[in-house]
């Protein structure tokens, strides 16, 4: 998710965990811990493909969160020694904030390596767009009210909890919406006799009502849109060519295999001037994909 959302989620978790005991400092440290996992974007992993596929790796892993939590709590207690009686709550605040950051990211399409180093599988449930105000605004409202009233105020805790509950319910709704869209996709593919090798459904920007669909099928892929409000449900799919044969001479290259794995098979191959380009079809729209990489020459 976007940085603002992660800061709000961390702040809300901080308030819920320790705000009634130490005030606004809980919100501040929740915001800080909610930001930490995404600092891996500052690391140069050695190349464009490496930066793309190692992002949301070790910094989002539950195992790393367990290891780093004691160190962060030690630092916090050095800065705020008067809060030592709440050491166990600090541990909960830090650990929950780090893990909820990673879990929320896994609901987007990108791919989050929650189980690194035991598995690099990029978990991507793809039920929420990376920026969704319907998820973020309840968190923002709860945190702002808590800051305005004072973190120790009983109503501050109630409003913050309400914000967390509303955002969590919305996240559950996105799973229901995705299930409905996936059913429409299955019916459409069966009706058109399309044998898919990979399918992805993901919300269009800033909402969970309109969904984008990408289907891989041999030397072509399909893109279309459907809405959970359509009655009866409908999905129009437009076909586009891809040229997997361009990878024949470079199929064993690390970058090619890495992109094929990370995209879960949802990629296109095309010639661009003298270059072979792999585009991740999961993010962007036809003609304007966010991630495209030159992997070889013709």
């Amino acid at each position: 998710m976007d940085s603002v959302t992660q800061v709000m989620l961390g702040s809300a978790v901080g308030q819920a965990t320790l705000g009634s005991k130490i005030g606004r400092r809980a919100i501040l440290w929740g915001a800080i811990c909610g930001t930490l996992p995404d600092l891996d974007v500052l690391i140069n992993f050695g190349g464009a493909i490496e930066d793309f596929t190692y992002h949301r790796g070790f910094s989002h892993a539950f195992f790393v969160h367990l290891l780093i939590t004691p160190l962060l709590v030690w630092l916090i207690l050095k800065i705020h020694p008067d809060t030592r009686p709440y050491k166990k709550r600090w541990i909960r605040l830090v650990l929950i904030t780090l893990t909820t950051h990673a879990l929320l990211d896994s609901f987007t399409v990108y791919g989050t390596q929650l189980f690194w180093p035991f598995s690099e599988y990029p978990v991507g449930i793809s039920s929420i767009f990376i920026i969704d105000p319907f998820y973020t605004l309840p968190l923002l409202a709860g945190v702002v009210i808590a800051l305005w009233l004072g973190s120790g105020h009983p109503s501050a805790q109630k409003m913050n909890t309400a914000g967390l509950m509303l955002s969590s319910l919305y996240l559950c709704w996105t799973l229901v919406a995705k299930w409905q869209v996936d059913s429409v996709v299955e019916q459409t593919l069966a009706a058109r006799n399309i044998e898919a090798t990979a399918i992805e459904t993901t919300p269009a920007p800033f909402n969970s009502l309109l969904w984008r669909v990408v289907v891989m099928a041999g030397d072509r892929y399909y893109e279309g849109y459907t809405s959970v409000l359509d009655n009866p449900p409908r999905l129009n799919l437009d076909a586009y060519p891809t040229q997997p044969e361009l990878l024949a001479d470079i199929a064993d290259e690390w970058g090619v295999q890495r992109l094929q794995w990370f995209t879960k098979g949802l990629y296109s191959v095309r010639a661009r001037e003298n270059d072979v380009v792999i585009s991740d079809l999961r993010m962007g729209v036809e003609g304007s994909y966010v991630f495209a990489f030159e992997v070889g020459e013709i």
Side-chain angles (χ1 to χ4, degrees):
M1 295 294 285
D2 64 285
S3 298
V4 172
T5 299
Q6 292 291 8
V7 167
M8 288 300 101
L9 177 58
S11 299
V13 170
Q15 168 64 27
T17 308
L18 201 48
S20 62
K21 302 295 182 182
I22 65 167
R24 293 184 175 91
R25 288 176 292 182
I27 293 178
L28 173 62
W29 280 102
I32 292 172
C33 292
T35 302
L36 287 179
D38 280 342
L39 295 183
D40 66 339
V41 298
L42 302 177
I43 300 174
N44 182 351
F45 289 104
I49 295 175
E50 289 85 350
D51 292 344
F52 174 57
T53 61
Y54 287 128
H55 174 49
R56 294 195 188 177
F58 75 92
S59 66
H60 288 62
F62 295 149
F63 180 71
V64 173
H65 297 163
L66 286 171
L67 293 181
I68 200 174
T69 292
L71 176 61
L72 289 173
V73 171
W74 173 83
L75 175 62
I76 291 169
L77 293 179
K78 281 289 185 181
I79 297 173
H80 306 294
D82 59 306
T83 64
R84 288 188 178 276
Y86 304 111
K87 181 178 180 180
K88 290 183 178 180
R89 291 203 179 205
W90 275 119
I91 292 172
R92 289 202 294 271
L93 184 153
V94 172
L95 184 58
I96 294 173
T97 302
L98 293 174
T99 55
T100 51
H101 175 120
L103 280 171
L104 180 58
D105 274 350
S106 73
F107 277 81
T108 67
V109 72
Y110 190 97
T112 306
Q113 298 172 40
L114 300 176
F115 306 108
W116 185 95
F118 309 105
S119 170
E120 287 190 325
Y121 180 75
V123 179
I125 297 171
S126 187
S127 69
I128 191 169
F129 189 70
I130 191 171
I131 302 174
D132 192 328
F134 294 99
Y135 177 85
T136 307
L137 287 176
L139 296 173
L140 175 63
V143 170
V144 168
I145 291 173
L147 288 171
W148 178 55
L149 293 176
S151 294
H153 195 285
S155 294
Q157 196 75 343
K158 291 179 182 178
M159 295 305 296
N160 182 72
T161 300
L164 279 168
M165 291 180 64
L166 285 173
S167 64
S168 298
L169 286 172
Y170 179 76
L171 200 58
C172 292
W173 148 251
T174 67
L175 294 174
V176 175
K178 184 176 178 67
W179 172 79
Q180 179 178 333
V181 169
D182 288 348
S183 297
V184 174
V185 174
E186 289 179 8
Q187 294 170 13
T188 301
L189 296 181
R192 293 184 55 174
N193 294 317
I194 297 174
E195 295 185 7
T197 57
I199 303 170
E200 187 63 88
T201 56
T202 187
F206 317 127
N207 81 112
S208 58
L209 299 178
L210 180 65
W211 288 66
R212 177 173 176 265
V213 178
V214 179
V215 177
M216 298 300 303
D219 61 353
R220 67 181 61 191
Y221 61 91
Y222 299 83
E223 180 189 56
Y225 291 86
T226 185
S227 171
V228 296
L229 299 180
D230 288 342
N231 188 17
R234 61 181 182 271
L235 170 62
N236 295 319
L237 291 172
D238 296 319
Y240 301 93
T242 181
Q243 300 171 281
E245 66 275 8
L246 293 177
L247 300 178
D249 294 334
I250 54 175
D252 294 331
E253 293 288 335
W254 180 87
V256 172
Q257 294 184 351
R258 183 76 177 180
L259 288 172
Q260 290 173 325
W261 164 77
F262 192 74
T263 62
K264 301 175 184 176
L266 291 146
Y267 63 90
S268 69
V269 185
R270 286 179 180 163
R272 186 167 63 192
E273 296 181 353
N274 294 322
D275 297 313
V276 179
V277 177
I278 291 180
S279 300
D280 187 337
L281 300 177
R282 301 173 303 163
M283 289 167 276
V285 295
E286 180 57 30
S288 183
Y289 290 107
V290 180
F291 298 103
F293 303 90
E294 297 176 359
V295 295
E297 296 180 350
I298 299 175

